[in-house]
Amino acid sequence: MPLSRRVVAEFIGTAFLLIAVVGGGIAAQRLSPNDTGLQLFEAAVATAFGLAAFIMMLGPISGAHFNPAVTLTDVALGNRPSREAIPYISAQILGGIAGTILSNLMFELPAVEISETVRSGSGQWLGEIIATIGLLLVIFLMLRRANTDLIGISVGIYIGGAYFFTSSTSFANPAVTIARMFSDTFAGIAPSSAPGFLIAQLLAVPLAVGLIRYLTVD
């Protein structure tokens, strides 16, 4: 598959992922304005179901990374040439921002609204490390066992659950973190909080690579 086609698929997939995350969060906030737990559940369902569908739809084209942490892990494990990392990651970041803007517009909000939601602290940063490692293990251990048909469903289930069992509500994705700065809604994250999340997510990559190599060594 030509790189240009794969990059477009990554842009589209990440855009739709953020539409699910941000749009689902806005809808949840409006449907259940007085129940934060129900809002989180509704947003988790929208994200989990959407993500599973997007992975199954675009996986055969680009691998359906939609996440710089996944791309970096793929490169580190030798599954993808390093020269493809920058095009993939650029498409993911731009696609995520585009998806956030479209979500804002879809719900008749300003196209760009910088979030004021503070998400910080050692507990949330640890939550992001755990969430990202778990996501990478789900993807790459299943790939090593040739269970590719189940990856989309498994990732959707994992992310839906991780909304609740991690302290950070499982961003687990640098592109998602960056994009969510541009919506001051349920899914938003303040720019001042984003660096801690990004560092945690990137720290998870070498830890996950080490675990994957150890668990799959012949």
Side-chain angles (χ1 to χ4, degrees):
M1 193 72 68
L3 178 60
S4 59
R5 191 175 299 175
R6 287 183 278 135
V7 166
V8 170
E10 285 295 301
F11 178 93
I12 292 170
T14 314
F16 270 103
L17 170 58
L18 266 297
I19 290 171
V21 171
V22 177
I26 296 170
Q29 206 168 25
R30 293 183 178 181
L31 289 168
S32 308
N34 301 314
D35 192 332
T36 304
L38 187 54
Q39 290 174 12
L40 186 62
F41 175 77
E42 291 163 349
V45 169
T47 301
F49 283 24
L51 181 56
F54 307 146
I55 291 173
M56 290 187 282
M57 175 177 67
L58 294 171
I61 299 173
S62 67
H65 293 187
F66 315 151
N67 185 337
V70 175
T71 299
L72 292 173
T73 302
D74 209 28
V75 170
L77 292 172
N79 300 332
R80 187 171 301 277
S82 58
R83 66 177 179 275
E84 294 187 359
I86 291 177
Y88 261 58
I89 292 171
S90 299
Q92 292 156 2
I93 292 171
L94 293 174
I97 294 171
T100 299
I101 291 171
L102 289 172
S103 295
N104 289 336
L105 292 173
M106 184 166 55
F107 286 92
E108 299 182 353
L109 297 171
V112 173
E113 216 175 11
I114 301 302
S115 176
E116 296 182 0
T117 302
V118 175
R119 303 174 186 264
S120 189
S122 58
Q124 294 207 47
W125 300 330
L126 178 59
E128 274 305 289
I129 293 174
I130 292 170
T132 308
I133 290 175
L135 174 63
L136 296 174
L137 289 177
V138 168
I139 294 169
F140 289 96
L141 290 181
M142 295 194 72
L143 277 174
R144 290 296 179 100
R145 302 306 179 201
N147 294 318
T148 54
D149 292 341
L150 296 176
I151 289 176
I153 295 171
S154 299
V155 170
I157 291 171
Y158 174 80
I159 290 296
Y163 258 74
F164 288 91
F165 69 69
T166 62
S167 56
S168 62
T169 67
S170 185
F171 285 45
N173 184 331
V176 166
T177 301
I178 292 169
R180 286 169 70 163
M181 292 190 295
F182 296 94
S183 183
D184 191 23
T185 59
F186 181 80
I189 180 171
S192 60
S193 299
F197 272 56
L198 292 170
I199 291 169
Q201 292 154 4
L202 294 175
L203 281 175
V205 171
L207 296 173
V209 169
L211 285 171
I212 293 162
R213 284 177 172 161
Y214 175 74
L215 293 170
T216 58
V217 67
D218 295 326

